[in-house]
Amino acid sequence: MSRKLMVAGNWKMNKNLMEALTLASQVITRAKKMSGQVEIVLAPPSPYLHTINSMSKDLSYVKVAAQDCHHKTSGAFTGDISASMLASMNLAYVILGHSERRKHHHESDVLLAQKVSAAIEAGLSVIFCCGEPLSVREKKEHELFVLQQLEASLWHLDATQIKQIVVAYEPIWAIGTGQTATAEQAQEMHAFIRNSIAQKYTQTIAQTTTILYGGSCNPANAGALFANEDVDGGLVGGASLKAEQFIQIIQAR
Ligand code: PGA
């Protein structure tokens, strides 16, 4: 069964305006020569979202994602951005549940469930990040840990809403560390996540859900990771900040 292949670049808190526009334009220029079989998602810092979304609007397979949103629609929340604001810019995606937000902003599974609902109600699709810390993997409890994250933040969605979710499996010990999960570890967890979706929803929904791998993905390891049956692409941090590396990762998909 076919499902969407995707490579997403999470720029995190990097690049000034000129650097961001240069990177976006380099990626878009290269993307124009591609077949469009892989959806390319750029997740720049929020001040650049609108401009970069406008730059990419002629290419149906290049989409823009925000890196977070608030769980309320509007109100006295200084510094925050709502899902409906993102939707009003015609953005396609918002990344939610990234381990850096869970850690530095103390985002809980319950809050993330609210953010996921807010995003979907606003009409956005969600790239939902999950993944275990090293201590949990060492105890061989990574499957249970990730299942609990999915249960707590996604399983309240109905069968229509869950189709708006892309899952990104990002083992915390692999993010920004240069230590990638092996292709076998990635495949095993992706198959587990897909199976969990099948059990909660349906086999059809599971087979059409895009599941990305994230954590020190680079041009050298992307091919082996993406060759796995259940790995539909990547969520790329560091290597998405250099156009050439990011393009090579897309081409590995
Ligand atoms: P990394 O980040 O590729 O730099 O490890 C991935 C992510 O945090 O999404």
Side-chain angles (χ1 to χ4, degrees):
M1 198 172 297
S2 72
R3 53 185 168 257
K4 189 186 285 179
L5 306 177
M6 179 187 291
V7 175
N10 175 10
W11 298 3
K12 308 189 180 181
M13 196 175 73
N14 291 295
K15 306 282 180 194
N16 66 26
L17 176 62
M18 286 318 294
E19 291 164 348
L21 299 186
T22 302
L23 175 58
S25 111
Q26 287 169 337
V27 173
I28 291 164
T29 302
R30 296 291 300 274
K32 282 185 183 147
K33 300 190 187 103
M34 293 184 184
S35 65
Q37 277 169 335
V38 179
E39 188 165 281
I40 301 166
V41 179
L42 303 178
S46 49
Y48 319 139
L49 284 169
H50 183 56
T51 307
I52 292 177
N53 199 41
S54 306
M55 288 164 69
S56 66
K57 70 178 187 322
D58 294 337
L59 281 182
S60 61
Y61 51 93
V62 178
K63 298 273 168 49
V64 174
Q67 297 176 14
D68 178 45
C69 71
H70 197 270
H71 62 287
K72 294 264 177 70
T73 312
S74 62
F77 300 104
T78 302
D80 282 316
I81 302 171
S82 73
S84 56
M85 291 174 188
L86 301 175
S88 75
M89 293 191 274
N90 293 317
L91 298 189
Y93 293 100
V94 58
I95 298 172
L96 292 173
H98 193 282
S99 60
E100 288 153 13
R101 301 242 12 130
R102 292 179 192 259
K103 181 176 176 199
H104 302 305
H105 296 264
H106 311 290
E107 295 192 358
S108 67
D109 291 334
V110 173
L111 176 69
L112 289 170
Q114 294 172 354
K115 289 191 177 202
V116 165
S117 289
I120 288 176
E121 275 158 32
L124 297 168
S125 292
V126 174
I127 299 175
F128 181 80
C129 305
C130 56
E132 79 287 352
L134 187 57
S135 58
V136 167
R137 178 156 284 262
E138 284 171 346
K139 283 190 269 170
K140 303 200 186 329
E141 290 172 359
H142 42 287
E143 290 188 349
L144 180 63
F145 186 92
V146 167
L147 180 59
Q148 284 170 348
Q149 289 181 320
L150 300 175
E151 278 171 358
S153 303
L154 295 184
W155 277 190
H156 65 289
L157 300 175
D158 66 27
T160 306
Q161 293 170 324
I162 195 76
K163 293 178 186 158
Q164 296 305 114
I165 303 288
V166 169
V167 178
Y169 170 61
E170 299 207 304
I172 296 171
W173 45 273
I175 296 177
T177 59
Q179 189 190 343
T180 323
T182 64
E184 294 73 32
Q185 286 171 325
Q187 168 56 26
E188 186 185 71
M189 278 307 283
H190 283 229
F192 172 77
I193 291 167
R194 198 176 304 289
N195 189 37
S196 303
I197 297 170
Q199 282 179 17
K200 168 67 186 172
Y201 295 93
T202 64
Q203 190 60 246
T204 309
I205 289 174
Q207 289 302 327
T208 48
T209 300
T210 298
I211 306 179
L212 308 178
Y213 168 79
S216 297
C217 206
N218 62 42
N221 60 32
L225 287 162
F226 297 167
N228 291 289
E229 191 186 334
D230 288 295
V231 180
D232 305 313
L235 178 55
V236 185
S240 73
L241 297 173
K242 295 205 172 91
E244 193 50 45
Q245 289 192 13
F246 188 56
I247 295 293
Q248 284 175 25
I249 294 172
I250 298 164
Q251 286 169 336
R253 176 52 277 186

